[in-house]
Amino acid sequence: MGSSLPVKPASASGQSTSSSTNTPQNRSWWATSWFLALLVALGVTGATVTWHHKPETHSLDYAVCSTNRTIYTVDLDLPNVQCIVVHDSLISDTGDLEDITLRWRDRWWSEIPLAGVLHLPWPFNFLEPSLRVINIQPDSIVVPGLTDAHAHVLQYGFKMNLNLEDCTSVDEVLSHLKAYVISHPDILGDPTRWIEGMGWDQNKWPGAQYPHADDFDREPLLRGRRISLARIDVHASWVSNRVLQLMTPLPETIDGGLIIRDEHGKPTGIFVDNAMDLIPSQPFSEARAMEYFTRATGDALAVGLTGVHDAFSVPDEIQFYKKLSETQKLPLRLYLMGSVNSDDYWGKEIPRLIQHGLGGRLTVRSVKLFTDGALGSFGAALLEPYSDNPSTSGIMRVQPDALAKLVREFAIDGWQVNIHCIGDRANHVVLDIYEDILANASFSVDALRPRIEHAQILTLDDIKRAGKLGVIPSVQPTHATSDMWYAEDRLGPYRIQGAYAYRTLLNTSPTRVLPLGSDFPVEGINPLLGFYAAVSRLSVKGDSPHGPGGWYPSERLTRAEALKGMTLDTAYASFSEDILGSLSIGKKADFVVLDRDIMTVPMEDILGTKVTATVIDGEVEYGKL
């Protein structure tokens, strides 16, 4: 990481060290001698000298500097600086090394009696403290701490336990499951134990058809076992015949969901959206939650995340985080969106917490509601039928009237409301609800900061309306580059114009706010995957359905906009722009050191970037300075 060098203080007079008795240096010598003699006399007579400064605090101060001025602050007034100074958990100064050193020394002296009269000259200036300076490598950069505006922390740990994302066929899934069972003796010897995993995607398989419960029975080791596998988007699940037996009898239909059946009406083992609630699940376990949490936060810090907006936290999980935050400092900042599966008001079922726990890293002041499903599982609610499946227009998981009632009740109670919307119908319904609420003068858009999570497919008119209302679209750029291979087939050439339209959404925002997230574990946890997708509109292989120029390249963001979307915009979307999101004086000392300049390197080099250090509250949580 570069050297840690003390800054040598300049002499108080700035003059050369001449031997003449009439030099300012020697005059200061006598003044200092008199001052030291006075201190000795005071000590001899029993008088007490009180030093009001706190050297133990200042000794912890340090500056991080870049000779190339590649510290990107995301502060419009001073976008690039040479150095930042960390004091306790805050950024106390920014600027050039010489200037911040002088200001730091002046602050040190200002806390010492008689400091306005006397500064220690040479040779006594060795008594002054030195500001520790950490110089990053010439090719490295510093950026504000990166925050994922939409992700799922415990679900990430769950997925990593049995990850099926890379499977390209049903047979490959079965092979993974077999290996998993063999490697877990407790499951191998007990057929009643659940096998749960996540990540399968039929769109990657030959024929792109949903799998069947009978598929598991083709592998003898899996036959008769309780298997439940969530699709990559977590909007559909695939279960075994044994689980289907446990679920008998099943309803014919379910509001807001779908039970896939064969031509004889027999369930195939695929449950979509609200129908997934029928599937039995293991009870919440603190031990299992801790295992998942440790894996998720460790991986998050390693890729430069200092905060996560967790987009689905049920009451048991919130209590887990609350208890944990009160016994130890959380490894990163968590902004939780509480969620309860009910059409009745449930705001009293979750605690309201602002900068809670040790270090103040836990906040609960928002809720997560749902409207529809996902495009990949034909669950996104569209105004017109799917272009590649005219038999359906998707699923509305909740009726508009019930949703409107809930949103109003949460707004009255002071909760921020964040609503999952994928399809253009879902987005249209939610914008109607927000527009109705914001028409009431008692509701302020800045106080409520209503969010649409995903804002994936909108009509062009609704994009303009979202901007006019000031609704915050919270988007995930890697969804665009994952879905681009089939999205236009699903939506057709006209609807696609309002889909994954990040540039248009940003341009219509009155506050120029577009928070970026990943939706991990649906997508990768590395925020630079989203940064790259936002600025390139390309896959990680460098291609797209429109070639190397990117998929609908007019919707690309600039690198500065993408960085702001992962820092200051996520802070605004969580009411924390005054303390987070930029390397500005007085804000939390959350920052990341990267081994290359993602703001200038060739596009294809962005994804090779490594995190050297992840720092939160001035403390290194990953890597080293």
Side-chain angles (χ1 to χ4, degrees):
M1 164 59 72
S3 60
S4 175
L5 301 174
V7 176
K8 182 179 179 180
S11 64
S13 64
Q15 303 294 321
S16 64
T17 56
S18 167
S19 61
S20 169
T21 58
N22 197 36
T23 62
Q25 189 75 59
N26 284 327
R27 288 197 299 272
S28 293
W29 163 274
W30 291 109
T32 302
S33 298
W34 172 85
F35 178 56
L36 294 175
L38 175 62
L39 294 180
V40 171
L42 289 171
V44 169
T45 60
T48 301
V49 179
T50 302
W51 295 82
H52 294 284
H53 75 298
K54 299 177 181 178
E56 71 279 7
T57 298
H58 284 288
S59 68
L60 299 178
D61 290 3
Y62 65 91
V64 176
C65 296
S66 163
T67 56
N68 296 327
R69 298 178 62 85
T70 52
I71 296 180
Y72 293 91
T73 66
V74 193
D75 185 327
L76 292 179
D77 294 331
L78 207 60
N80 288 83
V81 296
Q82 184 183 4
C83 301
I84 58 173
V85 180
V86 176
H87 173 70
D88 289 345
S89 64
L90 303 177
I91 295 171
S92 63
D93 202 0
T94 64
D96 290 339
L97 177 58
E98 182 178 1
D99 294 338
I100 61 108
T101 303
L102 290 172
R103 288 193 292 266
W104 183 85
R105 189 180 302 115
D106 286 343
R107 285 193 296 273
W108 186 87
W109 274 109
S110 71
E111 298 178 13
I112 300 176
L114 301 180
V117 178
L118 295 171
H119 275 209
L120 293 176
W122 181 94
F124 292 100
N125 56 14
F126 72 87
L127 296 173
E128 292 182 341
S130 296
L131 174 62
R132 185 164 65 100
V133 175
I134 300 169
N135 291 299
I136 65 172
Q137 295 289 350
D139 293 335
S140 297
I141 69 170
V142 177
V143 298
L146 304 175
T147 297
D148 195 310
H150 183 114
H152 306 275
V153 175
L154 297 184
Q155 203 169 66
Y156 175 88
F158 166 80
K159 178 187 176 183
M160 293 301 104
N161 187 53
L162 179 54
N163 184 2
L164 306 171
E165 184 175 357
D166 295 331
C167 295
T168 58
S169 67
V170 170
D171 287 342
E172 201 167 335
V173 172
L174 299 182
S175 177
H176 270 63
L177 294 179
K178 180 180 178 180
Y180 178 81
V181 172
I182 292 173
S183 65
H184 289 75
D186 55 334
I187 296 176
L188 179 63
D190 184 357
T192 67
R193 294 288 297 271
W194 281 84
I195 301 171
E196 296 178 310
M198 177 185 166
W200 62 271
D201 183 358
Q202 83 283 2
N203 292 311
K204 297 179 179 179
W205 302 345
Q209 298 297 311
Y210 274 137
H212 197 286
D214 292 345
D215 291 326
F216 295 118
D217 295 337
R218 292 195 279 114
E219 169 51 59
L221 192 62
L222 301 178
R223 191 176 302 128
R225 292 185 179 269
R226 305 176 183 194
I227 304 172
S228 178
L229 308 177
R231 192 183 179 278
I232 184 63
D233 56 14
V234 204
H235 284 272
S237 284
W238 169 25
V239 303
S240 63
N241 280 315
R242 180 68 184 114
V243 174
L244 285 175
Q245 292 169 4
L246 296 175
M247 297 171 65
T248 303
L250 287 170
E252 287 299 314
T253 61
I254 185 166
D255 290 340
L258 183 64
I259 302 171
I260 304 295
R261 301 175 185 271
D262 63 18
E263 63 273 17
H264 304 295
K266 180 181 177 181
T268 65
I270 300 296
F271 295 80
V272 181
D273 288 315
N274 288 357
M276 296 168 62
D277 296 337
L278 301 171
I279 302 172
S281 61
Q282 299 185 73
F284 180 81
S285 160
E286 279 196 11
R288 194 162 53 245
M290 193 66 206
E291 176 189 343
Y292 296 161
F293 177 76
T294 301
R295 173 63 189 269
T297 55
D299 287 0
L301 290 168
V303 293
L305 287 173
T306 60
V308 173
H309 296 186
D310 191 279
F312 184 82
S313 296
V314 299
D316 282 342
E317 294 170 345
I318 294 175
Q319 289 303 320
F320 165 77
Y321 291 128
K322 181 176 182 292
K323 179 179 177 181
L324 192 63
S325 74
E326 292 167 351
T327 57
Q328 66 180 66
K329 186 179 289 186
L330 296 178
L332 43 67
R333 302 188 193 282
L334 292 176
Y335 184 80
L336 308 183
M337 306 179 199
S339 192
V340 172
N341 185 18
S342 174
D343 288 347
D344 296 322
Y345 182 68
W346 42 264
K348 306 302 181 185
E349 296 183 34
I350 57 176
R352 199 184 307 255
L353 308 170
I354 308 295
Q355 296 175 37
H356 184 77
L358 300 178
R361 294 183 178 180
L362 178 65
T363 293
V364 184
R365 62 175 299 172
S366 69
V367 298
K368 171 74 174 296
L369 305 178
F370 288 86
T371 52
D372 63 346
L375 190 69
S377 50
F378 294 98
L382 303 180
L383 293 168
E384 300 293 337
Y386 281 79
S387 297
D388 60 346
N389 186 3
S391 66
T392 183
S393 298
I395 297 171
M396 282 292 289
R397 297 178 62 179
V398 61
Q399 294 305 307
D401 290 345
L403 182 63
K405 181 175 179 291
L406 266 182
V407 173
R408 179 170 292 277
E409 289 171 330
F410 279 113
I412 291 172
D413 207 11
W415 292 94
Q416 181 190 38
V417 178
N418 309 326
I419 308 180
H420 166 109
C421 299
I422 299 290
D424 52 11
R425 183 186 176 198
N427 279 283
H428 186 81
V429 166
V430 167
L431 285 173
D432 283 347
I433 293 170
Y434 282 153
E435 185 171 24
D436 182 61
I437 289 175
L438 293 172
N440 187 327
S442 62
F443 292 112
S444 160
V445 68
D446 186 58
L448 294 178
R449 300 193 189 182
R451 290 169 51 164
I452 290 182
E453 302 303 309
H454 307 303
Q456 199 160 294
I457 305 156
L458 292 85
T459 66
L460 297 179
D461 286 341
D462 276 342
I463 290 179
K464 295 176 183 176
R465 184 160 62 129
K468 182 179 178 181
L469 292 173
V471 172
I472 300 173
S474 171
V475 302
Q476 301 76 45
T478 46
H479 281 346
T481 52
S482 292
D483 297 356
M484 63 185 176
W485 306 104
Y486 64 85
E488 191 160 357
D489 290 337
R490 295 269 154 99
L491 301 173
Y494 179 73
R495 281 186 296 202
I496 200 68
Q497 296 176 40
Y500 315 91
Y502 307 139
R503 159 63 52 203
T504 305
L505 286 167
L506 180 60
N507 286 346
T508 56
S509 167
T511 54
R512 300 287 295 179
V513 167
L514 187 70
L516 305 183
S518 68
D519 204 11
F520 76 70
V522 175
E523 305 283 355
I525 195 172
N526 187 348
L528 293 185
L529 289 167
F531 182 90
Y532 170 81
V535 302
S536 73
R537 306 280 290 196
L538 293 168
S539 75
V540 294
K541 297 179 180 178
D543 59 355
S544 80
H546 295 165
W551 187 56
Y552 290 100
S554 62
E555 293 296 341
R556 288 185 300 214
L557 302 179
T558 67
R559 300 192 197 201
E561 290 165 346
L563 181 60
K564 179 172 175 282
M566 297 177 172
T567 54
L568 193 56
D569 289 354
T570 56
Y572 179 85
S574 58
F575 299 90
S576 53
E577 72 276 13
D578 291 338
I579 60 170
L580 299 173
S582 65
L583 300 178
S584 305
I585 295 174
K587 290 193 177 184
K588 294 287 188 180
D590 292 5
F591 59 92
V592 181
V593 184
L594 303 174
D595 72 349
R596 69 192 67 184
D597 191 345
I598 60 172
M599 308 302 283
T600 60
V601 296
M603 198 80 72
E604 60 270 19
D605 291 342
I606 291 173
L607 292 179
T609 305
K610 303 298 182 185
V611 172
T612 307
T614 303
V615 179
I616 305 177
D617 285 326
E619 299 177 355
V620 177
E621 297 284 357
Y622 170 83
K624 64 180 180 178
L625 286 174

